[in-house]
């Protein structure tokens, strides 16, 4: 653990190693050391003056859910109350996506891309949790591919972490959209209707949501092969009858490829914390944007 904390604090620059080590050692011992170290460093960085809302992004299987859980625990030990909202819990139902598919493009039957979330509800919930209110947050069952009830969060929270694969993503320009980026787009979206509609949503209601975030953390996979492999590993948590095979996962990930690659290219310029992952899921490096005028500039 000490080695992991030393590496992470070295990249983070102004976060004390000793305090981060003590905090990391108090977190879930079953979690990977690098994740515990990163959660401790983030919590120590934020605890003096916590950001009200943190965006946590990363491709499928990068470990967003684990990191978010550890950050909440670490912040609690720093005396800060935190909660997590998952973008995935705000997916539209299959019936709603089917209606969108009939109205706009058949690819919108598959959950994931911008346009397949209830952004208005998420936006309301994210802002509401800063106040002393009770919020019923939706829960989405990925095995059934349907919403399944709610869970209750009682505000106020010092920090709300919004985790999701495209949190903080920015729209592309028309020139970038013109050429398909993979077989899915070439074969099933030849005229670009699907990707342009998703891009328009990124530029409108998703952009308004992301503008409420105070800080952005991006988990960056080394390549798409790692994303496919990690996403396939996630399937093992589902009942056998609900699991996708490797070919189905490869096609599923193609729905996310364009935005995942765009976020990967832009991370250093748009994220406050860019966490670069190695093929074995360890942390290979951290790039941190320090605001102009901070003490370490």
């Amino acid at each position: 653990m000490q080695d992991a904390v030393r590496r992470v604090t070295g990249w983070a620059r102004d976060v004390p190693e000793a305090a981060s080590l003590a905090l990391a050692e108090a977190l879930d011992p079953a979690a990977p050391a690098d994740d515990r170290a990163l959660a401790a460093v983030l919590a120590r960085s934020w605890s003096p003056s916590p950001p009200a809302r943190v965006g946590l992004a990363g491709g499928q299987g990068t470990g967003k859910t684990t990191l978010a859980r550890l950050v909440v625990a670490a912040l609690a030990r720093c005396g800060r109350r935190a909660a997590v909202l998952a973008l995935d819990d705000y997916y539209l139902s299959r019936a709603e996506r089917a209606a969108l598919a009939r109205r706009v493009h058949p690819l919108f039957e598959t959950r994931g891309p911008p346009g397949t979330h209830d952004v208005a509800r998420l936006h309301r919930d994210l802002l509401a949790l800063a106040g002393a209110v009770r919020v019923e947050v939706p829960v989405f069952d990925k095995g059934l591919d349907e919403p399944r009830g709610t869970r209750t969060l009682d505000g106020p929270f010092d920090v709300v972490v919004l985790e999701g694969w495209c949190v903080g993503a920015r729209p592309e320009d028309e020139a970038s959209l013109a050429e398909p980026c993979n077989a899915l787009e070439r074969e099933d979206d030849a005229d670009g209707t699907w990707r342009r509609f998703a891009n328009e949503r990124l530029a409108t209601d998703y952009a308004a949501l992301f503008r409420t975030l105070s800080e952005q953390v991006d988990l960056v996979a080394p390549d798409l092969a790692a994303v496919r492999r990690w996403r396939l590993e996630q399937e093992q948590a589902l009942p056998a009858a609900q699991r996708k095979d490797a070919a189905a996962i490869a096609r599923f990930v193609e729905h996310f490829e364009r935005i995942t690659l765009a976020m990967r290219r832009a991370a250093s310029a748009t994220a406050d914390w860019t966490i670069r992952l190695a093929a074995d899921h360890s942390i290979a490096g951290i790039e941190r944007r320090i605001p102009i005028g901070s003490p370490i500039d």
Side-chain angles (χ1 to χ4, degrees), residues 56-277:
L56 174 57
Q60 289 73 31
T62 50
K64 300 181 294 298
T65 301
T66 297
L67 179 59
R69 173 176 60 83
L70 292 170
V71 164
V72 168
L75 282 168
R77 288 185 171 271
C78 294
R80 301 295 183 176
R81 194 160 184 260
V84 178
L85 293 182
L87 182 66
D88 287 0
D89 279 330
Y90 289 81
Y91 282 131
L92 301 177
S93 68
R94 279 188 291 179
E96 290 169 319
R97 283 181 274 128
L100 182 64
R102 290 191 296 270
R103 181 168 61 85
V104 180
H105 192 284
L107 284 176
F108 281 111
E109 284 203 60
T110 299
R111 70 174 189 263
T116 61
H117 305 93
D118 186 347
V119 177
R121 180 176 182 179
L122 174 52
H123 199 157
R124 288 194 303 271
D125 290 352
L126 185 63
L127 297 180
L129 289 171
V133 296
R134 172 167 291 183
V135 178
E136 295 297 326
V137 174
V139 175
F140 192 89
D141 188 319
K142 292 182 180 178
L144 298 177
D145 197 21
E146 287 281 15
R148 189 199 65 216
T150 62
R151 60 188 177 97
T152 302
L153 291 174
D154 289 313
F157 292 94
D158 299 304
V159 180
V160 180
V161 178
L162 172 59
E163 64 100 343
W165 78 274
C166 66
V167 169
R170 301 187 179 188
E172 295 183 84
D173 58 31
E174 178 58 31
S176 300
L177 294 169
E179 289 297 320
C181 74
N182 56 28
L184 178 85
E185 291 189 358
R186 284 193 301 274
E187 296 166 7
D188 296 333
D189 187 39
D191 65 358
T193 298
W194 173 71
R195 57 187 181 266
R196 285 186 173 86
F197 184 86
N199 196 64
E200 179 185 348
R201 294 295 301 276
L202 271 185
T204 52
D205 51 343
Y206 286 73
L209 170 69
F210 299 152
R211 280 195 296 271
T212 69
L213 301 175
S214 315
E215 192 135 352
Q216 178 77 21
V217 179
D218 282 4
L219 301 176
V220 181
D223 49 39
L224 280 175
V227 172
R228 287 190 289 270
R229 184 173 69 254
W230 296 341
R231 181 62 184 80
L232 185 59
E233 290 170 0
Q234 286 183 324
E235 286 295 295
Q236 305 316 305
L238 297 175
Q242 296 176 356
R243 293 175 195 161
K244 298 182 177 69
D245 60 19
I249 288 296
R251 177 177 169 81
F252 183 67
V253 169
E254 284 191 325
H255 291 75
F256 308 88
E257 181 174 339
R258 172 178 291 277
I259 296 172
T260 297
L261 292 179
M263 292 185 72
R264 188 172 185 270
R265 291 190 297 269
S268 297
T270 59
D272 299 283
W273 298 77
T274 301
I275 316 300
R276 300 202 179 273
L277 304 177

